[in-house]
Amino acid sequence: MPPCHSDQMTYAKPFRVGVVVEAPQHTGLLGPLDYLCDQDLPPGTIVRVPFGRRVVTGVVWDQGGSDEASQALSDEQLKPVAEVLTGLPPLPASWRQLVQFAAGYYQRSLGEMTLMVLPPELRQLDDTQWGRRLKRLDKDVAKGVAAADAAPALPELTEQQAQALQTLAGPVDKPFLLWGSTGSGKTEVYLRQAQKALDEGRQVLMMVPEINLTPQLESRVAERFAGRRIVSLHSGLTPAQRLRNWLLAHTGHADLVLGTRLSVFTPMPRLGLIVVDEEHDPSYKQQDGARYSARDLAVYRAKSEKVAVVLGSATPSLETWYNALPPADGGPGRYVRLAMPARVGDGIMPTVRVLDLTRTPKPQGGQTPPPLALELLKAIEQRVERGEQSLVLLNRRGYAPVLHCSDCGWKSGCPHCSAWRVFHKVDRTLRCHHCGFTERVPRACPDCGNQDIAPMGRGTERLEEQLAEVLPNARVGRIDADVTKHKGALEEQLASVHAGEVDVLVGTQMVAKGHDFRRITLVAAVNPDAALFASDFRAAERQFALLMQAAGRAGRDAQVAAQSEMWVQTYHPTHPLYACLRRYDYAEFASQQLKEREMAGLPPYAS
Ligand code: ADP
Ligand code: ZN
Ligand code: ZN
């Protein structure tokens, strides 16, 4: 990194450049700050500039947008650029436009947005480190990618896939919604469309909700596009890997980027297609710091770069669904809807069994109730005997949602927020799942000293324990965010499920997503009612998507499809959500929800 110049006053006519830096909110800094440089730096150049007492990374921005106070300063009052990051093409205009839009739309300062979406390492490297990174990148590029052994065997397209692809081959003036059941072959459509873009010399951005939950997609992409350079971008990479992959994409050397929400900001000079798989998934929304919806930004980006964007889902978000409703159905027709209702190869969805909890016998005095309704337990037992697997879903991790003192009524609240702290038995802690505040379980009630404080309710940890007790012949396993905290633990646990070493798998929504479990013939949602009456108006929508996705985990193998079942334990068996689920009728569910939202003046009718 050569210095921009060594001494401020040694050249005749310095150039003023506007540089975006990350300024704390309270400074109220909105636009770029002017700096001096002995060369006119093109917008998008990454530089290091003095800011306060530090030297920070910044990006040269387009002319004319600088902060007013900064514009008013004379050249003599400006500070010089400290260093220019050479050897890197400037961040393109389309990238700056995307970041500028995101900053405005989500009400963050331009600097905060800009620096947040750059690889973290880029902000910290010094001269020599930067030089080393570039050298390593050159080596990587020079090495090339191993050529493919042979062309991969492509399945013959189903009629629905062929139709979808035909529409995709048409004009790209609108985003596409690929609405296809689980197992309808959406991924195959993405891959074909990606192949087309790659053949035309374009780059492809393929977005997925959480990369570690979809290892199969990664290997499918790698297999299909052997000979192409594929990079992934997600928060699980080391900073060095993330910078490397980002640089490969930005320099145009990577052909396909497979990434999570943060990848929507990857500069790609030859971008030709954006795919957003499971577009309804909440993890496309960044919740901390600068908030954004990567799905919405993907739509914006596709429009501004005039490339196609395909949003895929079996249960689209209601906003997307509404946008894709044709005018004939009372919608705005902003997106083009491609429907693939059938599963490939006559695959059928499991039979839905709605189990009415109001009619299950109450336990007699003093008896502990069974962890699941007896009918459901029996169905699971049968699976265990036949050597089939069951998946039991409970969207609440930990042992029990709250500890309780029966003497004085104390409950394990969080002192920092309004949530209860969850009891985790493994390490005997009370943990707040909202703010993270964690403490050892107190020996006695902190309010009255009673030694007899007890768990109330049930989380996955306790359900696992209870099921192991009542199903002595079953090997019970668990997958949730607690089990998979440690690197590699999720992969290990998934492998043992695939290897058939687990008969009954207890899990949170984590296991409902994307896994191709071949031997699961029963999926049970143990406590799905909570979402029906939640204050968050999107809760029902999310729950429906989750249940549909969960059902898709069962009967994936044609040999067991016919005996596959999706169980729902509920106190509200006649609720319309379950009626729609019985028929896997997303369209009907969406239409009911839209009616409710319209009457209540909620999105997508109001924002
Ligand atoms: P989705 O992404 O909609 O869940 P996938 O693309 O994963 O569906 O397809 C489900 C299964 O069907 C996969 O095992 C896939 O390899 C297979 N498949 C997809 N399209 C075809 C096809 N046209 N012919 C045969 N098998 C297919
Ligand atoms: Zn007490
Ligand atoms: Zn808290």
Side-chain angles (χ1 to χ4, degrees):
M1 261 186 292
C4 189
H5 65 97
S6 42
D7 177 4
Q8 193 171 343
M9 290 303 137
T10 50
Y11 41 83
K13 188 182 171 306
F15 293 91
R16 283 176 90 111
V17 289
V19 177
V20 165
V21 295
E22 184 171 29
Q25 282 277 333
H26 69 260
T27 57
L29 178 65
L30 292 175
L33 289 176
D34 279 354
Y35 285 88
L36 287 187
C37 191
D38 57 359
Q39 44 179 320
D40 195 10
L41 298 172
T45 305
I46 301 176
V47 292
R48 315 252 308 148
V49 291
F51 182 69
R53 279 194 219 127
R54 298 176 303 145
V55 174
V56 299
T57 298
V59 178
V60 176
W61 219 256
D62 305 72
Q63 294 225 317
S66 289
D67 191 74
E68 276 178 28
S70 167
Q71 274 180 35
L73 295 178
S74 70
D75 283 4
E76 288 69 38
Q77 293 169 295
L78 293 181
K79 290 184 189 157
V81 169
E83 282 164 333
V84 181
L85 237 64
T86 46
L88 192 66
L91 294 156
S94 57
W95 183 90
R96 299 194 301 276
Q97 193 186 330
L98 176 68
V99 172
Q100 189 132 21
F101 168 78
Y105 193 77
Y106 298 107
Q107 302 182 354
R108 311 307 294 206
S109 74
L110 183 56
E112 186 184 8
M113 204 40 116
T114 303
L115 276 300
M116 184 192 74
V117 306
L118 288 174
E121 225 191 6
L122 203 55
R123 303 187 297 225
Q124 292 144 12
L125 291 181
D126 65 26
D127 273 25
T128 40
Q129 289 167 321
W130 176 241
R132 245 185 265 147
R133 288 290 182 281
L134 282 182
K135 244 193 222 130
R136 204 184 297 164
L137 187 76
D138 285 344
K139 250 198 223 150
D140 258 355
V141 170
K143 236 194 293 166
V145 183
D149 294 337
L154 302 183
E156 194 172 327
L157 294 174
T158 65
E159 215 165 288
Q160 292 177 354
Q161 286 172 328
Q163 189 120 47
L165 284 162
Q166 201 183 344
T167 311
L168 285 171
V172 294
D173 51 354
K174 289 178 182 176
F176 296 95
L177 165 63
L178 181 59
W179 174 45
S181 324
T182 353
S184 62
K186 292 187 293 296
T187 309
E188 185 61 36
V189 172
Y190 306 150
L191 295 177
R192 297 287 176 114
Q193 198 62 15
Q195 180 75 63
K196 227 179 112 195
L198 295 173
D199 288 346
E200 289 165 1
R202 314 290 292 271
Q203 290 173 296
V204 174
L205 173 60
M206 201 176 274
M207 289 167 56
V208 292
E210 282 160 86
I211 227 146
N212 58 347
L213 300 184
T214 48
Q216 280 144 348
L217 180 61
E218 217 174 342
S219 56
R220 255 172 101 180
V221 169
E223 207 173 297
R224 181 64 59 93
F225 302 126
R228 301 278 189 180
R229 194 188 303 274
I230 297 162
V231 298
S232 57
L233 274 176
H234 53 88
S235 55
L237 300 176
T238 65
Q241 286 169 330
R242 197 161 142 194
L243 179 62
R244 168 189 176 270
N245 291 355
W246 184 89
L247 284 171
L248 284 169
H250 174 42
T251 52
H253 291 294
D255 297 308
L256 190 146
V257 173
L258 186 63
T260 52
R261 59 171 182 252
L262 59 89
S263 67
V264 74
F265 291 105
T266 316
M268 296 169 73
R270 298 182 283 117
L271 183 65
L273 170 70
I274 305 178
V275 171
V276 184
D277 188 27
E278 305 291 0
E279 68 88 32
H280 64 278
D281 199 289
S283 53
Y284 282 119
K285 285 194 181 147
Q286 159 95 8
Q287 301 289 8
D288 1 290
R291 292 171 176 231
Y292 63 85
S293 154
R295 189 257 331 273
D296 294 349
L297 288 178
V299 168
Y300 174 87
R301 180 170 180 181
K303 185 167 184 216
S304 86
E305 298 197 36
K306 298 192 177 60
V307 301
V309 57
V310 181
L311 311 176
S313 177
T315 51
S317 68
L318 276 191
E319 278 87 350
T320 298
W321 179 255
Y322 176 73
N323 279 326
L325 271 186
D329 295 341
R334 260 177 237 131
Y335 299 176
V336 176
R337 189 173 81 196
L338 314 163
M340 301 205 300
R343 270 186 146 178
V344 173
D346 300 325
I348 46 169
M349 291 292 280
T351 311
V352 176
R353 307 207 36 179
V354 176
L355 197 150
D356 183 356
L357 284 179
T358 61
R359 288 171 42 185
T360 56
K362 292 264 168 321
Q364 302 301 313
Q367 257 183 305
T368 40
L372 303 174
L374 286 175
E375 243 180 300
L376 173 55
L377 269 181
K378 223 173 253 146
I380 294 177
E381 235 164 7
Q382 278 170 4
R383 258 85 192 172
V384 176
E385 278 161 21
R386 291 206 298 255
E388 297 166 9
Q389 295 174 306
S390 301
L391 175 60
V392 182
L393 283 176
L394 176 60
N395 231 356
R396 183 192 273 158
R397 66 197 164 85
Y399 189 81
V402 63
L403 275 189
H404 173 241
C405 167
S406 53
D407 265 10
C408 74
W410 171 85
K411 282 183 180 172
S412 54
C414 174
H416 302 298
C417 46
S418 59
W420 299 119
R421 272 180 305 161
V422 176
F423 173 42
H424 288 253
K425 196 174 173 187
V426 256
D427 54 1
R428 298 205 60 82
T429 53
L430 287 176
R431 285 186 232 161
C432 175
H433 289 185
H434 291 264
C435 72
F437 181 67
T438 300
E439 263 182 345
R440 298 272 304 165
V441 168
R443 267 176 220 289
C445 170
D447 281 0
C448 76
N450 172 19
Q451 303 239 326
D452 207 17
I453 45 179
M456 252 173 88
R458 174 176 66 185
T460 45
E461 199 184 324
R462 191 175 200 183
L463 181 58
E464 179 193 18
E465 186 183 284
Q466 291 173 330
L467 284 177
E469 225 161 84
V470 297
L471 300 168
N473 297 325
R475 294 159 300 174
V476 182
R478 169 163 64 100
I479 292 185
D480 58 28
D482 295 317
V483 179
T484 57
K485 260 195 315 239
H486 304 290
K487 208 169 159 58
L490 175 64
E491 290 75 11
E492 214 168 278
Q493 187 71 319
L494 284 173
S496 80
V497 177
H498 286 295
E501 293 160 11
V502 172
D503 300 309
V504 180
L505 179 64
V506 174
T508 53
Q509 41 97 18
M510 236 180 164
V511 285
K513 293 182 184 177
H515 302 291
D516 198 11
F517 298 125
R518 305 310 292 190
R519 290 167 57 187
I520 287 186
T521 59
L522 183 146
V523 175
V526 174
N527 185 17
D529 284 348
L532 304 180
F533 308 102
S535 56
D536 177 358
F537 69 90
R538 286 186 225 273
E541 174 187 348
R542 275 201 302 268
Q543 182 67 303
F544 190 77
L546 183 63
L547 293 174
M548 292 272 281
Q549 222 165 7
R553 298 311 109 215
R556 293 180 78 81
D557 197 306
Q559 285 177 336
V560 294
Q563 70 226 42
S564 293
E565 292 175 341
M566 164 86 200
W567 287 64
V568 176
Q569 283 198 144
T570 173
Y571 287 100
H572 306 274
T574 57
H575 195 283
L577 187 149
Y578 299 132
C580 293
L581 180 69
R582 271 179 203 273
R583 290 178 272 115
Y584 294 109
D585 193 347
Y586 170 80
E588 172 58 26
F589 172 75
S591 131
Q592 289 175 7
Q593 286 286 311
L594 283 179
K595 264 186 220 133
E596 281 178 28
R597 300 248 185 120
E598 188 169 21
M599 283 191 323
L602 290 168
Y605 297 96
S607 49

